[in-house]
Amino acid sequence: MTNQGDTIQPKKSFPIRKDNHPFMQRPHRTLFVLTIPVLFSLIAEPLTGLADTAFVSRLGSAPLAALGVGTILLSGVFWIFNFLGIGSQTETANALGSGNEQKVRQTTGLVILLSGIFGILAIILGYLLTPWLSKMMEAEGLILRDAVAYMNIRWLGAPAILLMLALFGVLRGLQDMTTPLWVALGTNTLNILLDWLLVFGAGPFPAMGVEGAATASVISQWIGAAWTMAVLFRYHKPDFHIEWKSSLRLLKIGGDLFVRTGLLTLFLLVTTRAATRAGADSGAAHQAIRQFWAFSALFLDSFAIAGQSLIGFFQGAGLKLWSRKVASFVVAWSVLTGLLLGFVMLAGENAAIFLLVPVTSVPVFLAAWRICAVFMPLNSISFATDGVHWGTGDFRYLRNAVLISTAAGILALGFFGKDGELTLAEIWITTGIWITLRSLLGVLRIWPGIGNAPLRKDTGPEPAQID
């Protein structure tokens, strides 16, 4: 690893010295140098989803509905495997901090093998379960036919998706945020171009409809996976001699993150169900707010991912005080971002109504929108502390914190709804309670460090003062 200004790229020399990390000299600049490429790489995926929707919508309502069924099911399945990216990022960042290149090679080899194994299993199980899953989503007739056809092609890209997910984690652990950015931009641009060629047909390419959209995704994903592997093979050739201890550790991380992800999904599903039960206007307004909430998460996740890499590095280097310093900066900048997002929501509510909200939903929308805006700074803390705890490998605590907050949130929904249907404002107040608990538990694990906290403050000198 070599230090090139403020960026750290995967080069043949390894590692950077732990006593001259750019964060130690220019913490704000270094954090943003790492954060901004992550943000743009995260934004690339939903933009491609919008492009897919725009192309398929011209085929009619049935293909578009089939695309919706397929994408939500595929996203749910692949979200289960996000531990490959999160776990590999923490493991690699630790290895970088400790100067252990062999561990980087072994981690890379392990996640390549696991991605291949899980990807092949996804193909087999996907083909077997796709008709049943589609029917569970109430798909029937032409929608069922197109959904099954779309997903059966998309499953072929499962190993590639998991490879990119895992190897992006390795690269980010090496604090190379630019390679994932270029791969994301390149593959998603290719996907859009192939959509144009394959959905409607052009020149020698036949019109394939919704199957063309699926084929475009699979081709671009495999090219993206090959591109990412080529970068890593060039600088850090994977070691496929796998240690069982490392494998079990990563699978244990997977188990904790699986439970955490399931609980997060459960709460979002329960609140969406409550909003839908309150009527069409409430459901439409809730969807509009959730769309912006999901968009804001991209900004907050980018700080969390950058913080995870920095903290993983300093933990591996045995510099806990610097890890705590990173945590302070990540939380502070996330809160400022949350305040800005909240202000944008309040100042831009008329624009949000114009773009996202049906006229009949406006009366129930406004109060809930403003409640969501007020809670946005607290929401930013929950994302920031997630990144901190990912960096320290404190996955079990994160699982338990989400368990507590989700249980409390569901109880609060029951309390507000004991006399009948909930209003949308009550649903977002409950969401705010859920957010507040997640934030509080995340912060207390760092300051003062409840339980067996990895970042509990040690006695000894603080790091040198930085500006």
Side-chain angles (χ1 to χ4, degrees), residues 370-456:
R370 292 166 183 170
I371 290 167
C372 181
V374 168
F375 279 107
M376 191 58 72
L378 278 173
N379 191 41
S380 69
I381 295 175
S382 70
F383 278 85
T385 54
D386 278 356
V388 171
H389 299 315
W390 290 339
T392 62
D394 205 4
F395 298 106
R396 175 163 293 187
Y397 179 82
L398 279 175
R399 180 202 67 187
N400 294 338
V402 172
L403 175 62
I404 292 168
S405 56
T406 299
I410 291 174
L411 287 174
L413 281 174
F415 173 79
F416 283 120
K418 63 181 183 298
D419 297 324
E421 292 178 347
L422 291 89
T423 66
L424 191 60
E426 289 172 335
I427 291 170
W428 277 95
I429 289 172
T430 303
T431 303
I433 294 171
W434 177 68
I435 289 169
T436 301
L437 280 172
R438 286 183 58 203
S439 302
L440 179 63
L441 291 169
V443 167
L444 290 176
R445 187 67 163 179
I446 307 168
W447 304 286
I450 59 174
N452 188 25
L455 293 184
R456 182 191 299 276

Side-chain angles (χ1 to χ4, degrees), residues 1-3 9-16 96 101 235-236:
M1 261 341 216
T2 58
N3 179 8
Q9 303 293 340
K11 301 298 182 185
K12 293 180 181 179
S13 55
F14 182 97
I16 71 164
L96 177 65
E101 184 175 5
Y235 297 119
H236 302 291

Side-chain angles (χ1 to χ4, degrees), residues 5 9 61 76 112 180 191 251 282 349 381 383 406 445 464:
Q9 303 293 340
S61 57
I112 288 174
N191 193 356
L251 292 174
S282 179
E349 64 182 27
I381 295 175
F383 278 85
T406 299
R445 187 67 163 179

